[in-house]
Amino acid sequence: MSLSNSLGLLGRKVGMMRLFTDDGDAVPVTVVDVSNNRVTQVKTQDNDGYVALQVTFGSRKTSRVTKPAAGHLAKAGANAASVLKEFNVAQDQLAALKPGEVIAATIFEAGQKVDVTGVTQGKGFTGTIKRHNFKSQRASHGNSRSHNVPGSISMAQDPGRVFPGKKMSGHRGDVTCTTQNLAVIRVDEARGLLMVKGAIPGSKGGFVTVRPAIKAKGAN
């Protein structure tokens, strides 16, 4: 089975801390809360044309969920949730999980490599130097108010327009990003926590998706 079709977990970024090894080395880790992942729908080849598990995470007031969504979750015996996502899985994994069941954090183990997807922190409107690593102009006498501007963009009479994708000032951040090949340092089954080495995308409290790494050495 391809690892791109493996079951993962939805979670919430709690924050960063450090753990100490037996040798006294400090390891920076990000704590991810993956507790209470519930299966809301099992999609089969016969009924849906593909094989997948629909998983939900988090909680919210029932009044904050639309009636169709509330009915869909109630059919699976799950409460109103914040995030709903599908994972393409192998056929043999469908028999092990039924709607309403909780997926434990122990589907991952210490030492395993994972890919974490989240929405990066928004940086607002930024210039070309910060956004695209442009070089600033000379700060010598005579360069009036043009030290950190991009300069000419060569779009005058011909072609008379700005080509799409031109590197210019604009909004930075707030995009979906995946950090690959992060090692799981510890799995806290009782509290439903994963401790992943290094930093992951997003702010504290942001929702993330954790999957088995697809580019890890020996993954195939």
Side-chain angles (χ1 to χ4, degrees):
M1 181 185 64
S2 171
L3 288 182
S4 60
N5 294 332
S6 298
L7 180 62
L9 290 176
L10 305 177
R12 180 178 59 87
K13 180 178 177 179
V14 179
M16 294 196 70
M17 57 178 288
R18 61 178 176 175
L19 299 176
F20 289 94
T21 65
D22 295 336
D23 297 330
D25 297 329
V27 180
V29 297
T30 302
V31 181
V32 182
D33 177 13
V34 294
S35 61
N36 203 20
N37 272 256
R38 292 96 66 195
V39 179
T40 55
Q41 188 177 2
V42 177
K43 299 202 172 185
T44 61
Q45 187 70 36
D46 296 335
N47 292 337
D48 305 284
Y50 64 102
V51 179
L53 283 173
Q54 189 182 82
V55 181
T56 187
F57 171 79
S59 61
R60 60 170 55 181
K61 295 180 180 179
T62 307
S63 60
R64 299 293 184 182
V65 180
T66 62
K67 288 185 178 180
H72 176 69
L73 294 172
K75 184 178 179 181
N79 297 326
S82 302
V83 186
L84 198 67
K85 195 173 185 64
E86 286 186 4
F87 294 96
N88 294 330
V89 297
Q91 184 67 40
D92 55 353
Q93 288 186 289
L94 297 183
L97 294 168
K98 304 296 181 183
E101 290 190 14
V102 176
I103 307 175
T106 51
I107 67 169
F108 296 107
E109 59 184 11
Q112 182 178 355
K113 294 294 183 69
V114 294
D115 296 338
V116 183
T117 302
V119 178
T120 60
Q121 297 180 8
K123 303 296 183 180
F125 189 94
T126 59
T128 52
I129 293 177
K130 184 174 182 179
R131 192 182 187 204
H132 300 296
N133 297 317
F134 278 18
K135 180 182 178 181
S136 63
Q137 297 186 30
R138 294 192 301 175
S140 58
H141 177 72
N143 190 16
S144 177
R145 298 185 300 174
S146 298
H147 310 298
N148 295 328
V149 299
S152 174
I153 61 174
S154 303
M155 297 289 166
Q157 184 173 350
D158 183 20
R161 65 188 181 93
V162 179
F163 291 141
K166 186 71 174 178
K167 291 183 178 180
M168 300 180 70
S169 302
H171 187 265
R172 180 168 179 256
D174 193 25
V175 295
T176 301
C177 177
T178 300
T179 303
Q180 297 181 322
N181 288 340
L182 299 176
V184 177
I185 302 300
R186 184 179 299 174
V187 179
D188 190 333
E189 181 181 2
R191 293 184 290 179
L193 300 176
L194 292 179
M195 299 180 188
V196 181
K197 184 177 180 180
I200 65 175
S203 303
K204 292 181 181 178
F207 294 109
V208 296
T209 304
V210 184
R211 294 187 180 91
I214 63 174
K215 294 183 179 179
K217 185 177 180 180
N220 296 327

